[in-house]
Amino acid sequence: MLFPTKWSKPMARCLLLRRHLTAAATATAAATAPLPARSAHRVLDRSAHTDRIKELARLGRLREAREVFDAMPHRSIFAWNTMISAYCNSGMLEDARSLVDAISGGNVRTSTILLSGYARLGRVLDARRVFDGMLERNTIAWNAMVSCYVRNGDITMAHRLFDAMPRRDVTSWNSMLTGYCHSRQMVDAWHLFEQMPERNLVSWTVMISGYARIEQHRKAWDIFRMMHREGVAPDQSNFASVLLAVTGLRDLGVLEGLRPLALKTGFESDVVIGTSMLNAYTRDASALDTAIKFFEGMPERNEYTWSTMIAALSHGGRINAATVVYERDPVKSIPCQTALLTGLARCGRITDARILFDQIPDPIVVSWNAMITGYMQNGMVDEAKELFDRMPFRNTISWAGMIAGYAQNGRSQEALDLLQALHRNGMLPSLSSLTSSFFACSNIGALKTGKQVHSLAVKAGCQFNSYVGNALITMYGKCGNMEYVRQVFNRMRVKDTVSWNSFISALVHNNMLEDARHIFDNMLSRDVVSWTTIISAYAQAERGYEAVEFFKIMLNKHEVPNSPILTILFSVCGSLGAPKLGQQIHTVAIKHGRDSELIVANALMSMYFKCGSADSHKVFDSMEERDIFTWNSFITGCAQHGLGREAIKMYKHMESAGVLPNEVTFVGLLNACSHAGLVDEGWQFFKSMSRDYGLTPLLEHYACMVDLLGRTGNVQGAEQFIYDMPIEPDAVIWSALLGACKIHKNAEIGRRAAEKLFAIEPSNSGNYVMLSNIYSSLGMWVEVAEVRRIMKQQGVTKEPGCSWMQIRNKVYSFVTGDKQHEQIEEIESTLQDLYTSLRTTGYVPDTEFVLHDIDEEQKESSLLYHSEKLAVAYGLLVTPQGMPIQIMKNLRICGDCHTFFKFVSHVTKRDIDIRDGNRFHHFRNGSCSCGDFW
């Protein structure tokens, strides 16, 4: 033994210390000695190569970057990490993984880069495998994994990992804070924010952005003011966040009030903050001129300043002004070119966009993607495909844009084929590609393919991503597989409002309205989409008054209605014939500034037409913007009200305005001619379709012509017209002929038309009733009995006549032969008095409309209790003298009731409006607006 035992450890320490000192001296000498020229060149060479790789990667030229990397004789860990990072940023994770597997001596950063790459594409399981396989983890790695869960909406797993961290820094806390804010859990975010042992500017910025995200802009502004009071100075990012919140306030006064602080802190002259302030101005459409003034006064502008102004002008419809700004830009950078290109495409000037694209000498992938998106937005799918095929390099956005474009332009199978091609190329799809593919499957009901894409999402590790989960719920719901819908929903780790809305929509789509109501009632938070979905569901189920009740609750909860909700409710009011309710909702639309929006104004005008209100003309006259739907709605409305000449006049006005008619326009015109007996004009319009506009007449147009000919008495000509048609007639056409036979009592042609209808739709009671009407009007009681026997044999029952009216915001309904109404005795007494009074003025009940072989007195008694007569009697009883009466009816008004109402309007001096199953009848002083062409 060289040393005594008691000296062993001290001596060992001395030796170890001596070695360290020797090594340190050697290192110092080496550091002070000049490097050999060759070694210095090698270091510089490595650095230059690494910088070149970064630059090529930034430009999206990954192939050239890899060539530089492969040509390096000696690669540092920085070069490896740079190339791996380039692949990850471009979504080429398999290539990144290959490099990671090939590297020797990788560091924590190498694994963290790959981990973050998986996180960005939602591949949480792959990210976790990298994390679990790391031999060494520092706080950065832990933070990266927490951020991965946060990015993909799994706040539960993020918090679990956060709690398990051996050490936390402010970045750790900020990651969790970001997770809560992105998940819109601002209550939890605030509690965490209060607990933070240390806060930095990022913490404040995340909270401001979080409240801005949920549109609590005032709260975001208050937090910024709190930060300012605590003496924390903003930086660029923080100032940009508060500017976003101020933008949401739509209060230019607050924005102007922020400018002194920007001046005091020196930020207004900062080009980044100046651009953010410009962006705040441009977000408010009413402040676009102020934005232009601010832009002109900026001391410094960068490429984003110019592109922001160009994009704002383009979005505001000032594409020519945007072009002028672009021409003034001294650099005409890629962002500016892309902004103008996008604006031109959005405005429909796709040719100009292509010219600009072709002028770019070496377009990067962003420019190619913008041009492809522009083509897709304009429905030019083949042009987009031609460009896509020519791209020198494609990134995940290129593939996603093409797949989305195919799906949104009705070429869903091609979208799915392209997804398959992407997969064959060894790439896993991005979140956007997956969600677009699920949308494509929904469009064509491709359940089997949808399941395969679902498997691909699992392989990519994206099945727990909320966007994917929501798209899956929608896809399975539209394909009718509610079992899978429930499985996906129940397995989702994070259910945001969109998830709940998608689940409700799936239930509604599969006629499970009560289940949808139950889910809606149990939602923790709702947004305007939630309300739109449930209101729309009740409207589609013809439960209009319940839809209106939901709307009232929504307003009581201070939720602001959007355009779709208002449009749905105006449609409900039109269907119910509830003009007063429609006026109330119209007031709500005015209050929120929605009444001038084109889609709302169109629905509003249509509602007033359906309710028989002259306000429809006022809405039309006040519209600053009109589209083809506007003109068609007005023409159709005139047709419904028997205003044939006015419909034609409006058509001429439409032509002079340079608006081209479509098939719907001519349906409205032909209906207007039919209801006004304008045969010659109807023929002219029918021929004009193909002759002047190249439109091929559809079944609807032929049905209108049969109706026009038949109503005016040319029943034989109408039948021959059907036999001469180039397309097979449908039930609507034969029904039009049968209706004409009923008016003109033509039993022979009526029988032939009815036989066709019995074969096409054997369960439609209306066809049997119309044939019975023809036979009974001619006293052919044997034939009537035969029709009734066939109905009984087929199990067909006659739909009862029903009429309803709204009085003082309450709806009163009546059915033919009603004996249950609480005031039936008073109603019957009023009707008897009316009959007595009307007979003295010349009214004679038309008993031809009674379908039974009974004596005249019984026939008259039967006619007396038609639902519309009960309704008008009730209206006369309970409304002030001289007040107009409006009645809705489910079936077409019979001839006797039509005559009866003409006499009632004359004797009582009341205006009576009836909307039956076909059209409006306006009875005024003994005559009807239809001119007896009903």
Side-chain angles (χ1 to χ4, degrees):
M1 182 176 288
L2 294 174
F3 302 104
T5 303
K6 66 177 182 178
W7 293 104
S8 295
K9 288 182 179 179
M11 287 303 295
R13 286 196 199 99
C14 288
L15 286 172
L16 188 60
L17 178 61
R18 188 179 300 167
R19 287 187 194 132
H20 279 304
L21 291 172
T22 305
T26 305
T28 302
T32 55
L35 285 170
R38 188 173 178 182
S39 298
H41 175 74
R42 182 181 298 171
V43 171
L44 291 172
D45 190 50
R46 286 181 188 177
S47 177
H49 279 81
T50 303
D51 289 342
R52 180 62 177 160
I53 291 169
K54 282 183 183 177
E55 178 63 17
L56 290 170
R58 188 185 69 82
L59 296 173
R61 293 155 63 177
L62 267 293
R63 187 177 302 165
E64 294 174 58
R66 182 58 188 263
E67 289 173 358
V68 173
F69 177 79
D70 289 341
M72 292 177 70
H74 302 283
R75 305 184 193 108
S76 67
I77 188 63
F78 301 109
W80 283 91
N81 286 345
T82 301
M83 195 65 233
I84 291 167
S85 181
Y87 277 136
C88 288
N89 291 337
S90 297
M92 302 170 68
L93 291 176
E94 303 314 312
D95 295 285
R97 180 82 225 193
S98 297
L99 282 185
V100 171
D101 292 340
I103 194 173
S104 58
N107 57 15
V108 172
R109 176 165 170 73
T110 310
S111 300
T112 305
I113 290 169
L114 184 62
L115 188 158
S116 301
Y118 282 130
R120 276 193 296 274
L121 286 183
R123 293 170 62 173
V124 183
L125 295 179
D126 287 322
R128 187 58 193 254
R129 287 191 194 100
V130 173
F131 179 78
D132 290 341
M134 293 174 70
L135 298 176
E136 178 189 354
R137 299 189 197 116
N138 57 16
T139 306
I140 296 172
W142 282 90
N143 289 343
M145 194 63 227
V146 171
S147 295
C148 174
Y149 283 121
V150 164
R151 282 172 182 265
N152 290 277
D154 194 344
I155 195 68
T156 303
M157 283 300 297
H159 203 292
R160 192 176 298 169
L161 207 64
F162 177 78
D163 289 340
M165 289 182 71
R167 289 182 303 277
R168 300 186 195 125
D169 57 15
V170 70
T171 303
S172 317
W173 288 88
N174 286 341
S175 293
M176 278 309 304
L177 203 61
T178 302
Y180 282 128
C181 290
H182 283 185
S183 300
R184 300 172 180 264
Q185 300 179 42
M186 292 309 297
V187 174
D188 294 317
W190 179 253
H191 288 159
L192 191 74
F193 182 74
E194 289 184 312
Q195 295 168 19
M196 289 180 72
E198 175 191 357
R199 296 177 191 146
N200 61 11
L201 256 179
V202 174
S203 318
W204 291 98
T205 304
V206 168
M207 288 300 294
I208 293 168
S209 301
Y211 280 110
R213 182 188 297 269
I214 63 171
E215 298 185 0
Q216 290 191 23
H217 303 296
R218 182 63 61 183
K219 180 69 174 176
W221 172 243
D222 289 342
I223 289 177
F224 177 75
R225 293 169 63 196
M226 184 193 309
M227 180 191 102
H228 185 58
R229 284 196 301 269
E230 290 191 11
V232 180
D235 65 359
Q236 285 183 343
S237 176
N238 181 268
F239 222 109
S241 296
V242 77
L243 282 169
L244 186 63
V246 169
T247 302
L249 285 174
R250 295 186 178 277
D251 188 342
L252 290 179
V254 174
L255 181 58
E256 290 294 325
L258 191 62
R259 290 186 66 178
L261 178 61
L263 285 168
K264 181 180 178 182
T265 54
F267 274 132
E268 186 166 78
S269 60
D270 180 281
V271 67
V272 175
I273 296 303
T275 302
S276 294
M277 295 194 78
L278 175 67
N279 186 51
Y281 280 118
T282 60
R283 293 292 181 90
D284 189 335
S286 65
L288 191 52
D289 290 329
T290 307
I292 294 170
K293 185 178 178 181
F294 182 85
F295 171 79
E296 296 297 344
M298 291 180 71
E300 183 184 354
R301 306 183 186 110
N302 61 15
E303 59 184 30
Y304 299 106
T305 315
W306 290 96
S307 63
T308 297
M309 198 67 246
I310 292 166
L313 290 167
S314 301
H315 192 72
R318 303 188 191 182
I319 191 64
N320 292 332
T323 304
V324 170
V325 172
Y326 174 78
E327 293 299 333
R328 288 173 51 200
D329 178 12
V331 179
K332 295 181 176 55
S333 63
I334 295 293
C336 293
Q337 291 168 332
T338 305
L340 183 60
L341 190 156
T342 303
L344 289 167
R346 186 187 293 116
C347 294
R349 290 171 55 178
I350 193 67
T351 303
D352 293 335
R354 181 57 188 265
I355 291 171
L356 177 61
F357 175 78
D358 289 339
Q359 289 173 353
I360 302 173
D362 189 16
I364 63 172
V365 68
V366 175
S367 306
W368 288 87
N369 291 344
M371 193 65 229
I372 287 171
T373 302
Y375 275 133
M376 286 298 190
Q377 287 174 342
N378 287 272
M380 302 171 69
V381 182
D382 293 330
E383 289 80 358
K385 182 180 184 304
E386 182 268 333
L387 211 61
F388 179 78
D389 291 340
R390 284 179 43 213
M391 287 183 75
F393 168 76
R394 302 175 188 137
N395 61 12
T396 53
I397 297 173
S398 316
W399 289 91
M402 281 298 295
I403 293 169
Y406 274 131
Q408 291 163 6
N409 282 280
R411 293 167 65 165
S412 297
Q413 188 56 56
E414 289 172 87
L416 297 173
D417 291 343
L418 196 62
L419 177 73
Q420 188 178 31
L422 180 151
H423 191 47
R424 278 200 305 266
N425 284 351
M427 299 172 65
L428 284 173
S430 65
L431 290 174
S432 175
S433 295
L434 286 170
T435 53
S436 296
S437 299
F438 290 131
F439 176 68
C441 293
S442 301
N443 289 343
I444 58 177
L447 179 60
K448 183 178 179 181
T449 305
K451 289 179 180 178
Q452 292 172 347
V453 181
H454 188 173
S455 299
L456 188 59
V458 173
K459 180 180 178 182
C462 302
Q463 72 272 30
F464 296 118
N465 180 271
S466 58
Y467 294 106
V468 172
N470 296 339
L472 278 168
I473 290 171
T474 300
M475 187 269 291
Y476 283 127
K478 288 190 175 180
C479 291
N481 193 321
M482 285 306 299
E483 180 185 352
Y484 274 47
V485 167
R486 294 184 187 278
Q487 285 182 13
V488 172
F489 183 77
N490 291 333
R491 290 174 182 172
M492 289 182 72
R493 294 175 178 173
V494 178
K495 298 182 180 76
D496 56 16
T497 307
V498 178
S499 312
W500 290 90
N501 291 343
S502 301
F503 192 24
I504 292 172
S505 295
L507 291 165
V508 169
H509 184 78
N510 288 275
N511 301 314
M512 301 170 72
L513 186 56
E514 298 310 317
D515 291 324
R517 170 66 187 270
H518 176 73
I519 295 297
F520 178 83
D521 288 342
N522 285 280
M523 289 180 71
L524 296 176
S525 63
R526 307 182 185 108
D527 61 10
V528 71
V529 177
S530 317
W531 292 100
T532 305
T533 304
I534 201 70
I535 289 170
S536 175
Y538 275 88
Q540 290 171 9
E542 298 184 359
R543 294 167 65 172
Y545 285 107
E546 290 172 88
V548 173
E549 286 304 312
F550 273 109
F551 181 63
K552 291 178 181 177
I553 296 169
M554 172 186 162
L555 293 179
N556 288 335
K557 292 187 177 294
H558 307 291
E559 186 73 59
V560 178
N562 59 10
S563 299
I565 285 180
L566 294 169
T567 303
I568 292 164
L569 290 169
F570 286 138
S571 178
V572 165
C573 294
S575 299
L576 295 173
K580 292 181 181 178
L581 181 60
Q583 287 170 347
Q584 292 171 352
I585 298 172
H586 186 178
T587 302
V588 174
I590 293 171
K591 178 182 176 182
H592 292 287
R594 299 279 189 184
D595 60 308
S596 59
E597 293 181 16
L598 183 59
I599 186 174
V600 175
N602 282 339
L604 184 60
M605 181 183 66
S606 182
M607 181 272 291
Y608 280 130
F609 264 123
K610 289 179 180 179
C611 292
S613 171
D615 287 340
S616 53
H617 290 67
K618 294 178 183 177
V619 173
F620 179 85
D621 292 338
S622 67
M623 292 175 70
E624 296 179 2
E625 181 186 0
R626 298 175 184 135
D627 61 6
I628 185 64
F629 185 86
T630 314
W631 296 96
N632 287 346
S633 295
F634 198 94
I635 291 169
T636 301
C638 289
Q640 290 173 335
H641 289 268
L643 305 173
R645 295 289 181 189
E646 188 164 349
I648 294 172
K649 179 181 176 182
M650 186 54 62
Y651 173 70
K652 300 295 184 185
H653 187 189
M654 172 182 164
E655 277 189 320
S656 64
V659 181
L660 289 176
N662 60 14
E663 290 86 352
V664 178
T665 313
F666 285 101
V667 170
L669 283 169
L670 294 174
N671 261 322
C673 293
S674 175
H675 290 156
L678 304 174
V679 179
D680 292 339
E681 290 85 346
W683 271 114
Q684 289 174 13
F685 287 127
F686 184 77
K687 292 173 182 176
S688 174
M689 281 186 68
S690 53
R691 182 189 65 222
D692 300 329
Y693 296 102
L695 300 172
T696 303
L698 306 174
L699 283 167
E700 294 93 325
H701 303 103
Y702 286 105
C704 290
M705 287 305 298
V706 171
D707 192 53
L708 173 59
L709 295 170
R711 281 180 189 275
T712 52
N714 189 4
V715 181
Q716 290 85 358
E719 184 181 32
Q720 188 58 49
F721 180 84
I722 293 174
Y723 290 132
D724 292 341
M725 282 170 51
I727 53 179
E728 188 71 22
D730 65 353
V732 177
I733 289 173
W734 289 114
S735 182
L737 181 61
L738 183 58
C741 293
K742 175 175 174 282
I743 296 170
H744 300 287
K745 302 177 184 178
N746 191 316
E748 182 181 354
I749 295 178
R751 177 184 53 78
R752 290 199 290 269
E755 287 173 352
K756 296 285 188 181
L757 285 165
F758 296 161
I760 297 171
E761 42 183 28
S763 299
N764 188 337
S765 63
N767 301 325
Y768 298 92
V769 172
M770 274 203 286
L771 184 59
S772 287
N773 272 326
I774 296 170
Y775 287 148
S776 65
S777 68
L778 296 169
M780 301 169 65
W781 300 112
V782 174
E783 286 78 2
V784 171
E786 177 61 18
V787 172
R788 295 183 68 185
R789 185 193 67 77
I790 295 172
M791 288 180 71
K792 187 175 181 180
Q793 181 182 337
Q794 295 286 345
V796 178
T797 56
K798 179 181 179 296
E799 181 183 0
C802 178
S803 298
W804 63 95
M805 60 200 307
Q806 185 180 7
I807 301 174
R808 288 186 287 275
N809 294 326
K810 186 175 179 181
V811 176
Y812 298 87
S813 60
F814 308 86
V815 294
T816 297
D818 196 346
K819 295 291 183 181
Q820 303 300 316
H821 196 282
E822 58 184 12
Q823 290 180 264
I824 191 63
E825 292 182 5
E826 297 171 72
I827 293 170
E828 289 180 351
S829 176
T830 301
L831 279 175
Q832 290 291 353
D833 292 343
L834 271 176
Y835 255 43
T836 302
S837 175
L838 296 184
R839 282 178 181 278
T840 64
T841 62
Y843 167 69
V844 177
D846 191 346
T847 56
E848 289 180 357
F849 292 93
V850 180
L851 304 184
H852 305 286
D853 187 11
I854 53 181
D855 61 43
E856 285 298 305
E857 186 176 345
Q858 287 177 299
K859 287 181 179 179
E860 289 185 20
S861 178
S862 175
L863 288 171
L864 183 63
Y865 299 110
H866 279 193
S867 64
E868 56 265 53
K869 288 176 180 166
L870 296 173
V872 78
Y874 184 74
L876 292 170
L877 269 173
V878 301
T879 59
Q881 189 172 357
M883 181 177 176
I885 296 173
Q886 188 174 68
I887 298 168
M888 308 292 152
K889 180 174 168 57
N890 63 331
L891 304 176
R892 188 180 178 193
I893 189 172
C894 79
D896 175 67
C897 288
H898 193 267
T899 304
F900 176 80
F901 279 110
K902 288 197 289 186
F903 278 93
V904 171
S905 70
H906 175 68
V907 170
T908 63
K909 304 304 178 187
R910 296 268 198 138
D911 291 348
I912 303 173
D913 297 322
I914 294 187
R915 191 186 80 185
D916 68 9
N918 285 358
R919 54 171 300 174
F920 266 94
H921 299 268
H922 302 285
F923 297 96
R924 305 286 186 270
N925 198 28
S927 62
C928 180
S929 60
C930 74
D932 295 335
F933 283 100
W934 86 95

